[in-house]
Amino acid sequence: MPSITFTGLQKVQITSNNYTYSDLHLDLSNPISKDITSDFDESAVRNSILNLFNTVPGQNLLNPEYGLNLLQYLFEPINETSGRQIGNDIVAGINTYEPRVLVKNVDIQLNEDEQTYYITLNIEIPILNSQMRLQGSLTKTGFTLS
């Protein structure tokens, strides 16, 4: 009886990685390499939070409830009540959609003249035993990290 041997189905050796989390690098502005790069650990978590901040519920077809909808505050008067609600939305959204982190605190600074909320987010990533501080601003053009 004839036999067939498949050499392409050999067991692949898996090597250990030196990272816990990985994610696609969202900045696709490198036209020279024309390739997608990856971010790891803290950078992957940072990407995920930035994506959460900049996504409006309904934009993600596979998860239509995902997102914070911070854009709703951009055309409201800049005041402490709105700042407090933004902080509450950030904490609730991260607790719901980013289980890898614990929110330590959210600080919202208001600048009525610039029509800007300055957001400082202190988080802990328990599995990595690390802490991060993310600072950004919410303006009429959206949220950006600094």
Side-chain angles (χ1 to χ4, degrees):
M1 170 176 256
S3 67
I4 299 174
T5 305
F6 293 101
T7 58
L9 299 177
Q10 297 172 352
K11 187 174 181 179
V12 176
Q13 180 154 352
I14 299 173
T15 58
S16 176
N17 298 323
N18 293 329
Y19 55 86
T20 303
Y21 302 122
S22 66
D23 199 356
L24 293 177
H25 184 73
L26 298 177
D27 183 8
L28 303 176
S29 63
N30 187 352
I32 295 172
S33 70
K34 294 183 182 179
D35 201 3
I36 296 174
T37 59
S38 297
D39 286 323
F40 304 100
D41 292 335
E42 286 91 352
S43 294
V45 171
R46 181 183 182 278
N47 281 349
S48 178
I49 291 173
L50 180 61
N51 190 35
L52 178 63
F53 276 45
N54 284 312
T55 302
V56 175
Q59 276 184 317
N60 186 335
L61 297 177
L62 298 177
N63 189 358
E65 295 177 8
Y66 178 83
L68 290 182
N69 195 18
L70 295 179
L71 297 176
Q72 68 180 316
Y73 298 105
L74 299 180
F75 301 102
E76 298 290 326
I78 292 185
N79 56 41
E80 287 187 30
T81 303
S82 295
R84 195 173 305 112
Q85 187 59 45
I86 289 170
N88 291 338
D89 287 355
I90 289 170
V91 171
I94 289 175
N95 288 340
T96 302
Y97 297 109
E98 188 48 73
R100 300 177 287 186
V101 304
L102 298 173
V103 177
K104 292 303 192 181
N105 71 332
V106 178
D107 181 42
I108 310 286
Q109 299 292 319
L110 316 173
N111 188 324
E112 293 179 25
D113 294 336
E114 295 178 3
Q115 294 292 298
T116 302
Y117 293 98
Y118 293 100
I119 301 170
T120 301
L121 176 64
N122 291 303
I123 60 172
E124 180 181 339
I125 309 170
I127 203 163
L128 298 177
N129 196 25
S130 69
Q131 295 187 11
M132 287 177 54
R133 173 182 285 229
L134 301 173
Q135 294 179 306
S137 58
L138 180 63
T139 64
K140 289 183 181 179
T141 59
F143 179 80
T144 55
L145 283 175
S146 43

